[in-house]
Every structure is written in C-alpha cells, then in structure tokens.
Amino acid sequence: MEPILIQDVLKTLPHRFPFVLVDRVLSVQGGEVHALKNVTVNEPFFPGHFPQEPVMPGVLIVEALAQASMFCLHGQLEPGTVGYLAGVEGARFKRKVIPGDQLHLYARLEFLRRGLGKTTCRAEVDGAVAAEATILFAVAKG
C-alpha cells in the first residue's frame, strides 16, 4: 500500500495541532499498523518537560500509540466515527524519546466487538523499544 500522508491522517483522526501525534502511516495490513511520529525540538511540550533536558512525556507516547491504533480499522469505520481512549494496560517505558528521534509506532488489533476494541502496541526509536502498552478504546459517532 501507499503510505497514508498527513493530509489523509487528518481525515481519519479528529485531532489537530498540537495534539495530532501521527505524521504518517507507513503500512496497514491485516489489522497491523506501522506509523511515524517525527519528534522535533519545536514540540510545544518541550519547554516545560524538561527545559534542561527535553524528553517526550510518556503519556504523549501512549497517546501517539492510541492514535496509531485507529488505523488498524482503516477503511472499516464510517466517516465521523471517533475512537475514544478507554484504558491503558501494562504501559512500560524503556527509553527516553528526545528531539530529533523518529518514533515508529506499531499497533496490532486484538479484537473489536460492539464498538469496543483492544490493540497491542509498541513504540521504537532506532530499532530499540521506547514504550509498550495495551490500548483499550471505544468507537462511536463523534
């Protein structure tokens, strides 16, 4: 498949700057997604987290994974459907994410039943795991 570029990412996700955390979706196949978040020094959270040593907050890495998870359902959802974060299980952070990193987001759909779903996710930088989590979500008309 062709990558899903930011213009089409914005058609799928309801998020906008500064909260859209997926820049590109590289692949969607069989309920598995590989997406990218380019982490730049211009991110609005870096001046406060932390000025002397900028680190991407773990909660935003989890949010990026949750946003990437919605692409597991690419082409299956009606327009106007929104995914709402319902829970996070087993979140682990293994490496700092800093300006200049390219965060590779991987999500695998475990199930989607009656509007509730679950994905197993991981974020990597340079092939090293930065974070892992299981994301629970609900889909509904926005």
Side-chain angles (χ1 to χ4, degrees):
M1 74 164 257
E2 292 290 317
I4 300 171
L5 304 180
I6 189 65
Q7 297 87 342
D8 291 321
V9 166
L10 294 174
K11 290 177 186 173
T12 300
L13 296 176
H15 307 79
R16 294 298 176 263
F17 180 83
F19 229 72
V20 65
L21 297 173
V22 173
D23 293 323
R24 180 174 290 189
V25 177
L26 298 177
S27 67
V28 177
Q29 187 174 37
E32 293 191 19
V33 169
H34 178 195
L36 289 177
K37 164 64 178 148
N38 294 306
V39 182
T40 72
V41 74
N42 297 322
E43 304 288 350
F45 48 81
F46 280 137
H49 197 268
F50 302 101
Q52 70 283 5
E53 182 187 2
V55 176
M56 185 174 184
V59 69
L60 292 180
I61 297 170
V62 170
E63 175 65 24
L65 289 168
Q67 290 180 23
S69 291
M70 292 314 301
F71 289 93
C72 290
L73 307 172
H74 185 66
Q76 299 177 39
L77 298 177
E78 294 179 34
T81 301
V82 177
Y84 296 98
L85 184 62
V88 178
E89 296 175 347
R92 297 287 181 263
F93 304 94
K94 313 226 179 215
R95 174 194 194 284
K96 290 190 291 188
V97 177
I98 60 173
D101 283 345
Q102 192 171 59
L103 198 57
H104 287 259
L105 307 166
Y106 298 92
R108 184 179 73 239
L109 184 65
E110 299 297 332
F111 70 82
L112 177 65
R113 290 189 285 277
R114 293 183 295 229
L116 298 174
K118 179 177 179 178
T119 54
T120 302
C121 305
R122 82 180 178 283
E124 295 181 359
V125 175
D126 296 330
V129 176
E132 299 173 311
T134 298
I135 304 288
L136 306 168
F137 62 91
V139 291
K141 280 293 202 179

